[in-house]
């Protein structure tokens, strides 16, 4: 069946979630998957569940995006900004390398960094990026399978 001259073909049905709150990661996942598969709660649970499964020796470092309070001197403002923080293991000790700290803060061993991550995730609105080598990424060995 041919279309009349000048007629536009029907556009494909494209799933598109619009921005709501600060849920852009959830919206991006659902938009790529072309259906609503993830909610904020589901995404939060996924972030918390792999925490114990992270193969930390395979991870070069972690970068966290955290809520950061805004203040003017002693006055705390009801505004929230975002701040990026680096975590890295050096000589068997994990450190918080937050650029706002005067010096690196030792977190201890794997249990210490896991506790730090759990506390950061419990605050809500925390994103964690893993920095791994290309080989680790290709093998997917940043997660333990046991």
């Amino acid at each position: 069946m041919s279309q009349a001259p000048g007629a536009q073909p029907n556009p494909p049905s494209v799933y598109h979630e619009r921005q709501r709150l600060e849920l852009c990661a959830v919206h991006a996942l659902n938009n790529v998957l072309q259906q609503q598969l993830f909610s904020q709660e589901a995404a939060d649970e996924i972030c918390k569940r792999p925490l114990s499964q992270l193969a930390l020796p395979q991870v070069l470092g972690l970068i966290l995006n955290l809520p950061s309070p805004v203040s003017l001197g002693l006055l705390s403002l009801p505004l929230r900004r975002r701040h990026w923080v680096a975590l890295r293991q050096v000589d068997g000790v994990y450190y918080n390398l937050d650029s706002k700290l005067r010096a690196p803060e030792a977190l201890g061993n794997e249990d210490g960094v896991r506790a730090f991550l759990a506390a950061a995730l419990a605050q809500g609105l925390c994103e964690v990026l893993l920095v791994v080598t290309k080989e680790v990424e290709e093998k997917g060995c940043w997660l333990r399978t046991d």
Side-chain angles (χ1 to χ4, degrees), residues 93-126:
V93 177
Y94 286 88
Y95 291 91
N96 175 355
L97 301 172
D98 185 343
S99 60
K100 290 184 177 181
L101 297 174
R102 291 186 182 268
E105 173 185 53
L107 301 174
N109 60 14
E110 285 189 22
D111 291 338
V113 77
R114 288 180 201 281
F116 182 89
L117 288 169
L121 289 168
Q123 290 181 33
L125 298 177
C126 172

Side-chain angles (χ1 to χ4, degrees), residues 73-140:
L74 298 174
L75 179 63
S76 182
L77 300 176
L79 303 172
R80 290 282 180 204
R81 299 192 71 190
R82 308 292 295 165
H83 181 61
W84 294 95
V85 174
L87 306 179
R88 171 77 194 249
Q89 184 259 100
V90 178
D91 293 331
V93 177
Y94 286 88
Y95 291 91
N96 175 355
L97 301 172
D98 185 343
S99 60
K100 290 184 177 181
L101 297 174
R102 291 186 182 268
E105 173 185 53
L107 301 174
N109 60 14
E110 285 189 22
D111 291 338
V113 77
R114 288 180 201 281
F116 182 89
L117 288 169
L121 289 168
Q123 290 181 33
L125 298 177
C126 172
E127 297 168 307
V128 178
L129 304 175
L130 301 179
V131 180
V132 298
T133 64
K134 183 176 175 92
E135 179 183 359
V136 167
E137 191 273 328
E138 287 173 349
K139 291 181 179 178

Side-chain angles (χ1 to χ4, degrees), residues 3-60:
Q3 293 184 340
Q8 296 293 325
N10 290 336
S13 176
V14 177
Y15 182 84
H16 177 250
E17 286 185 9
R18 293 193 40 145
Q19 182 69 28
R20 183 176 60 84
L21 303 172
E22 290 189 13
L23 300 176
C24 48
V26 172
H27 300 313
L29 280 168
N30 289 336
N31 287 341
V32 164
L33 297 171
Q34 284 294 283
Q35 58 183 310
Q36 185 178 3
L37 290 177
F38 289 93
S39 64
Q40 178 181 1
E41 295 77 19
D44 289 345
E45 181 58 32
I46 289 168
C47 289
K48 292 173 186 170
R49 187 181 66 225
L51 189 56
S52 64
Q53 295 175 315
L54 282 179
L56 287 172
Q58 301 294 326
V59 176
L60 183 62

